[in-house]
């Protein structure tokens, strides 16, 4: 992997270089830093056959892991957890030690936003040593909430819908301030649309997926487009890795 921007470029980036390139400051107490990570084809498709797997090569997987290793919590919408059959985050023992040394928990929990709580309590997600966090609304079916409380921390963040400002507040209260959201498009669009996103890490895969695929945002239209500032550009085997900041935020 090599760095193209900011110039002068650097070849043969190693893990330590990626850690430095994606390092995050600890946000002020009670606040969060929200980083989104997506992979998309050159035509913007964020899924092929309903999953993102076909889009990411070895470089994308390395950055995916790196961003998890730097995060306090991994936040996803229930659509992604279901489509991708989410499991617990995997952190190798040496990296767990490194996390502890910098004040992070050994492994980041997975947090899932779901209004319906249509999530199987027997799903792979709940095989984690670290309990997942489910962020839901008061309107979620009580029987599902009760079943899921056996295997996860269930937190109510809103009445009819899950309020994402409350979600971030609940995570910050638990000391989960460096939030990595892995989407999906519906959750991402709400976070970005509400001004809650600090940065976007985007892999552009060297392929066209063709028409009729989801992109990295879905749902209701925004009143206006949002500018982003490019922080860096890396490249590996034709895949591009962009890190964007939201101006005046991250
Ligand atoms: N390329 C990539 O990097 C990438 C990353 C992630 C996902 N994807 C792809 O994206 C697709 C999934 O898309 P998606 O848009 O359905 O995913 P999503 O954003 O993860 O999930 C949407 C679901 O999240 C819950 N949700 C989100 N916001 C909510 C709110 N404010 N209140 C209540 N519930 C809320 C709802 O779950 P309930 O239905 O349970 O209420 C909703 O149906 C999959 O094909 C996946 O492979 C691609």
């Amino acid at each position: 992997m090599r760095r193209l921007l900011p110039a002068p470029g650097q070849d043969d980036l190693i893990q330590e270089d990626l850690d430095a390139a994606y390092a995050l400051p600890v946000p002020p107490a009670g606040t969060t830093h929200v980083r989104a990570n997506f992979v998309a084809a050159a035509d913007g498709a964020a899924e092929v056959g309903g999953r993102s797997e076909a889009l990411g090569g070895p470089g994308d997987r390395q950055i995916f892991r790196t961003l998890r290793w730097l995060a306090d919590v991994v936040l996803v919408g229930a659509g992604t957890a279901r489509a991708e059959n989410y499991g617990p985050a995997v952190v190798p023992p040496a990296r767990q030690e490194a996390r502890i040394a910098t004040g992070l928990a050994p492994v980041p929990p997975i947090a899932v936003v779901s209004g319906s709580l249509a999530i199987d309590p027997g799903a792979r997600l709940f095989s984690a040593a670290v309990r997942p966090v489910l962020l839901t609304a008061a309107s979620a079916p009580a029987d599902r909430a009760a079943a899921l409380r056996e295997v996860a921390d269930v937190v109510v963040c809103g009445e009819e819908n899950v309020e994402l400002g409350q979600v971030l507040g609940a995570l910050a209260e638990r000391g989960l301030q460096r939030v990595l959201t892995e989407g999906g498009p519906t959750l991402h669009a709400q976070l970005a649309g509400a001004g809650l996103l600090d940065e976007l890490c985007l892999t552009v895969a060297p392929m066209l997926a063709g028409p009729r695929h989801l992109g990295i945002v879905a749902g209701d239209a925004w009143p206006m487009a949002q500018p982003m500032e490019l922080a860096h550009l890396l490249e590996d085997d034709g895949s591009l890795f962009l890190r964007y900041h939201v101006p005046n935020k991250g």
Side-chain angles (χ1 to χ4, degrees), residues 37-40 46-47 50-52 55 76-80 82-84 113-118 161-162 164 182-187 190 214 218:
N37 184 33
F38 276 93
V39 58
E47 49 75 32
R51 293 180 61 128
S52 59
L55 297 165
V76 291
T80 295
R82 288 187 287 254
E84 306 274 350
V113 175
S114 173
S116 72
L117 285 184
N161 273 315
V162 183
L164 298 180
E182 295 174 347
T186 303
L187 179 65
Q190 292 171 78
L214 268 177

Side-chain angles (χ1 to χ4, degrees), residues 153-172:
D153 292 350
V154 178
V155 185
V156 173
C157 296
E159 294 301 318
E160 288 300 315
N161 273 315
V162 183
E163 302 298 334
L164 298 180
Q166 289 186 37
V167 164
L168 298 183
L171 295 177

Side-chain angles (χ1 to χ4, degrees), residues 95-109:
R95 193 67 202 216
Q96 292 192 22
E97 299 285 323
R99 282 175 58 91
I100 293 166
T102 59
L104 289 154
V107 177

